Amino acid sequence: MQKNKIEAKKVSVFYNDKKALNEITLSIPEKKVTSLIGPSGCGKSTFLRCINRMNDTIEGCSMTGRILIDNKDINEKSLDPVLLRARVGMVFQKPNPFPKSIFENVAYGPKIHGLTQSSDELNELVEESLKKAGLFSEIKDRIHEPGTSLSGGQQQRLCIARAISISPEIILMDEPCSALDPIATAKIEELIDELAHNFTIVIVTHSMQQAARVSKQTAFFHMGNLIEVGKTDSIFSNPSEKKTQDYITGKIG
Amino acid sequence: MTKNFEKINDSLIKRQKSEKNFKLFGLIGIICAISFLIIILTSIIIEGKKAFVSTYIKLDVFFDSKIIDPDNTKEDSVIKSANFNEIITKSILENFPEVTDRKEKIKLSTFISSSAEDELIKLIILDKALIDQKKELWLLASSTIDVIHKNPDMLNFPEDERLIDDKELKWFQWFLSEEKIKFSANKNFFSNADSTEPEQAGIWGAFVGSFLTLFVTLILSFPIAVAAGVFLEELAPKNKFTDFIEVNINNLAAVPSIIFGLLGLAIFLNVMHLPRSAPIVGGMVLALMTLPTIIIATRASLRAVPPSIREAAIGLGATKFQTVTHHVLPLSMPGISTGTIIGMSQALGESAPLLMIGMVAFIVDSPGSIFDSATVLPVQIYLWKSTAARGFVELTAAGVMVLLSFLVLMNAIAVYVRYKFEKKW
């Protein structure tokens, strides 16, 4: 039996008075890739940002319902969101490396959380993270150059390396390839396949092909509602809802 | 289609004409601004550059032991209390044996600045072998002679419009013809504080005063303003109360500076009993005035940092405070420091609030600490401008030149800081 890492129960999100998500109930399996698809403004990114409580930083945003990670409510008062975000990493739509060196970018997370004892250990961790993100061989000679000097695809892999440097259990990806060209996109997708062995990954994507390529489970959002969720193969070949069919055939979107 | 084309073509002529007019107005504005600037600067420089030299008169000084040290003690204290004025008068009279009248003798002796006595005392104390020797020396002329020497066209004025009478003029012209009068660098201007005698007055006291005052201003306003800006922009909840504070900070930036001076007078002097005329109080008053400027600059540059940087740090599990101190603040530092330097140069040029707390006093010593009485550059300029003696006209202009150079230097630093530390992301 498949173990579920994340359980969302009747999650609704409001921006001031505007309802952005309507009672989403969704289970996300451990160490698999789940993709969230749907037209712009359907609430898929909002849902993603609930999982590591990034919405807390937005003025006027509130949430009802429960999200459980390993059967623990993440919105419990006793849980510090900082601790949650150390367990749930995030990769953003636009590559956003810090304007510091590549090394500093990856080393930042372990440093603030005090994960390493010595600088040797830190060097090793940085190298390992860069290797896991498939970036090390390309940049090993310029690890102290600014992270912003890399190409878009490399920057995004740097951001992934930065996210996995603190060994989170879950990685959230918010349209990680939307700013990238097809070749860079292919590399990231390959990397996602690789990472799924060790991490639970939730990815928001605009591209249905991408969802079909990388994910085991797909959830289709529309106008703040979860329309359908299921195995990626069955969603794309045999959707049970008409709206899903309309979307994947290009009638809405 | 052709109909539209004609319509568009017609309106295009109109549109381009208004653009042309706008450009013309802009150009006229810039030309006006530049020409005013040039006029101001040249008039200041023409007048001010005269203050950087002073007039010296050559005399054969005989250090008569009868006057300096009649008992041959060679004691410094004896030398210091000797009547060197008599020595100078004698040396100058040597050149004019025909002068016998007492009043005329006094007039002649005032050709030399009273500070020359101190020069001679120093000389003798350093080298006592000079006693009973004759030495050819260039002595600082008095301000009246200096003014006449610097403005030769005054020689042709009628006697009552001139600073000197006909006899003095004759003597002056004798010195000229004998080449016993010359210009040399004005050392007093850059080393002395204020004085009642223009030839002895200098800007150094005011310069040190300005420096100490700005130092206090910076130490107080920078940390407080940056902390306030960061708190309001990054940490405080956005509600009616913070909105109210924000509006008031913006209003504070527009409060006339003399009000801050009155506040300083009422609180710092009358309630806290801090020393009057001291840079510590001046700095505190100017810090109040500079605070809103730096807070506004801080908030603007914090806002200019892209939210993606904040998200990246928050997403990694950095606390809000870590996000700000590790990422946002370093990135906004160029903007904050530029704003600070601009605030500082405003403070440097400020005189009104300092008048209120007594920094307008006549101070002959350079301040040694922030608790000593001091004045600042703009106030010194104001003081000189309001003094009657003719010699202060040049000093005023020279003071303006020093103040402006200080300002240009600070603004250049601001530009450099912005250029050097700006990071791309």
Side-chain angles (χ1 to χ4, degrees), chain A residues 142-184:
Chain A
R142 29 186 199 133
I143 196 154
H144 292 291
E145 281 176 29
T148 42
S149 67
L150 299 174
S151 74
Q154 286 174 326
Q155 282 188 23
Q156 196 60 297
R157 276 181 283 152
L158 175 61
C159 292
I160 293 172
R162 186 175 64 189
I164 60 183
S165 67
I166 53 173
S167 314
E169 296 151 37
I170 301 163
I171 301 175
L172 309 176
M173 296 186 173
D174 191 357
E175 297 182 39
C177 301
S178 65
L180 304 181
D181 64 68
I183 294 170

Side-chain angles (χ1 to χ4, degrees), chain B residues 225-240:
Chain B
V226 171
V230 168
F231 178 76
L232 282 176
E233 194 61 37
E234 302 283 339
L235 306 174
K238 303 271 176 287
N239 55 29
K240 286 234 167 76

Side-chain angles (χ1 to χ4, degrees), chain A residues 49 82 85 96 99 108 113 162, chain B residues 308 311 314 316-317 326-327:
Chain A
R49 292 166 65 97
V82 168
R85 288 176 199 135
N96 58 352
Y108 182 69
H113 296 300
R162 186 175 64 189
Chain B
S308 64
E311 284 193 326
I314 296 276
L316 266 178
H326 296 166
H327 301 287

Side-chain angles (χ1 to χ4, degrees), chain A residues 49 52 54 57 59 82 85-86 88-90 92 96-100 105 108-109 112-113 148 162-163 165-166, chain B residues 236-239 307-320 322-323 326-327 330-331 423-425:
Chain A
R49 292 166 65 97
N52 67 345
M54 272 310 258
T57 62
E59 206 77 33
V82 168
R85 288 176 199 135
V88 185
M90 188 155 193
F92 296 86
N96 58 352
F98 300 126
K100 298 184 175 185
N105 262 285
Y108 182 69
I112 56 171
H113 296 300
T148 42
R162 186 175 64 189
S165 67
I166 53 173
Chain B
K238 303 271 176 287
N239 55 29
S308 64
I309 298 291
R310 292 185 180 83
E311 284 193 326
I314 296 276
L316 266 178
T319 62
K320 220 165 185 184
Q322 283 174 325
T323 307
H326 296 166
H327 301 287
L331 286 173
K423 273 193 178 172
K424 298 273 172 277
W425 55 75

Side-chain angles (χ1 to χ4, degrees), chain B residues 93-101 104 108 170-171 174:
Chain B
L93 282 173
E94 236 173 55
N95 296 307
F96 306 100
E98 75 279 7
V99 177
T100 50
D101 181 61
E104 286 185 6
L108 250 178
K170 216 178 69 202
W171 298 328
W174 180 84

Side-chain angles (χ1 to χ4, degrees), chain B residues 27 58 63-64 71 78-79 92 107 115 151-152 167 190 206 211 274 374 382 398 421:
Chain B
L27 202 62
K58 187 156 85 174
F63 295 101
D64 194 343
D71 305 330
V78 175
I79 294 169
I92 199 166
K107 271 187 186 166
S115 69
N151 303 287
K167 279 224 175 82
F190 289 111
F211 183 82
L274 288 166
Y382 164 76
F421 296 103

